[in-house]
Amino acid sequence: MGALVFAVSRGGGTGIGSADVLVPLALSTLAAAAFIANEHHHADPLMQPALLRLHGLRSAGALMLLLGLWNGGEMLVLSVYLQQVLHMSPLAAGLTIAPQGVFGLATGLLGARLARHLGIQKVLVATGAAATIGFAALTRLPGSGGSHLPLAAVTLVGCGTAGMAFGSMVTASAGVADRDQGLVGGVINTSRQLGAAIGAALLPAVADAVDRTRHASTAVGDRAAMLAGLAAAALATLVATNAWRRSRHDGVARCAPRA
């Protein structure tokens, strides 16, 4: 993962075809292949391959990876944008981003009630859509101290992040034996941390690659970084929608009368 993050962080500055990118990317690929091979043959594997065949765990792991990606990169880019483009103080920048955490906390506290009324799969789709809409607004970040309306979108991103985290954990642990719940939690949390590491390197790299002149006042690169976050949130929504459709199909199949 260290090699992968290094490759991503160097891509914006040296180009994706440079040795700074290709060599660590190849090293990361080889290390991942060696880890997977070892897990399949080890008598007591760290990550049991059989559990990874569970559709719910795979979907939840993918969702948490994407969540970590957009969350780790968005907070970093926004904090720099607010201070360098809108010339806010560190305190004012923090207070501007704070609603994201407040609304995220509220969504997390209401998560159980939402799940009871809508179903956990619908919660995942709805919160993924909220994050997608929020990032769509953030792609319109002002280039000066004009309208701050797009910044209100951080509340939607916060709702989407918290709801996706709650729903993914529930989805991953459903139907898993008690003895394996710790492993499931480890897989899900690791997925989020890996996504955050990649996102913290990727989104700033996108911003730098688009705005090579380093004219921060144009905010062009920051908007491009938010567009990358939008892509991650939209992909997460698609994954959640597919999981919802699959659960409905499985439910119909279980209820269908046998000939």
Side-chain angles (χ1 to χ4, degrees):
M1 284 310 304
L4 176 60
V5 170
F6 180 81
V8 171
S9 66
R10 295 293 295 167
T14 63
I16 59 175
S18 66
D20 282 356
V21 174
L22 295 180
V23 171
L25 192 59
L27 177 61
S28 177
T29 303
L30 290 173
F35 175 75
I36 293 172
N38 182 71
E39 293 300 286
H40 275 85
H41 295 94
H42 201 283
D44 186 19
L46 176 67
M47 191 169 60
Q48 299 177 21
L51 279 179
L52 297 181
R53 298 189 186 100
L54 297 176
H55 179 75
L57 182 56
R58 292 203 307 270
S59 296
L63 290 174
M64 289 295 274
L65 181 73
L66 292 167
L67 181 157
L69 192 153
W70 84 56
N71 190 234
E74 172 244 353
M75 299 287 280
L76 183 59
V77 172
L78 266 185
S79 63
V80 174
Y81 161 80
L82 292 172
Q83 295 176 71
Q84 292 188 354
V85 178
L86 299 188
H87 306 293
M88 291 184 177
S89 67
L91 176 60
L95 291 175
T96 301
I97 300 175
Q100 178 167 333
V102 173
F103 277 80
L105 175 62
T107 302
L109 293 175
L110 295 174
R113 292 184 179 180
L114 290 174
R116 283 197 298 267
H117 285 85
L118 301 177
I120 198 64
Q121 299 298 337
K122 289 183 179 180
V123 169
L124 285 170
V125 174
T127 52
T132 302
I133 295 171
F135 273 109
L138 289 175
T139 61
R140 308 298 298 174
L141 288 172
S144 62
S147 173
H148 291 185
L149 182 60
L151 293 175
V154 298
T155 59
L156 290 175
V157 176
C159 291
T161 301
M164 189 71 71
F166 166 80
S168 296
M169 185 60 74
V170 173
T171 301
S173 59
V176 177
D178 290 345
R179 66 178 181 274
D180 294 324
Q181 290 293 341
L183 176 60
V184 168
V187 171
I188 294 302
N189 285 312
T190 299
S191 297
R192 179 169 184 170
Q193 295 301 322
L194 294 180
I198 296 172
L202 178 61
L203 267 64
V206 169
D208 289 342
V210 171
D211 188 14
R212 292 185 180 277
T213 59
R214 311 288 178 168
H215 291 162
S217 60
T218 64
V220 174
D222 298 318
R223 294 175 192 141
M226 294 301 105
L227 183 61
L230 168 63
L235 182 56
T237 305
L238 289 176
V239 172
T241 302
N242 181 64
W244 176 33
R245 290 176 177 173
R246 184 184 180 93
S247 66
R248 291 180 62 190
H249 179 269
D250 291 345
V252 171
R254 286 193 296 270
C255 296
R258 294 184 179 181

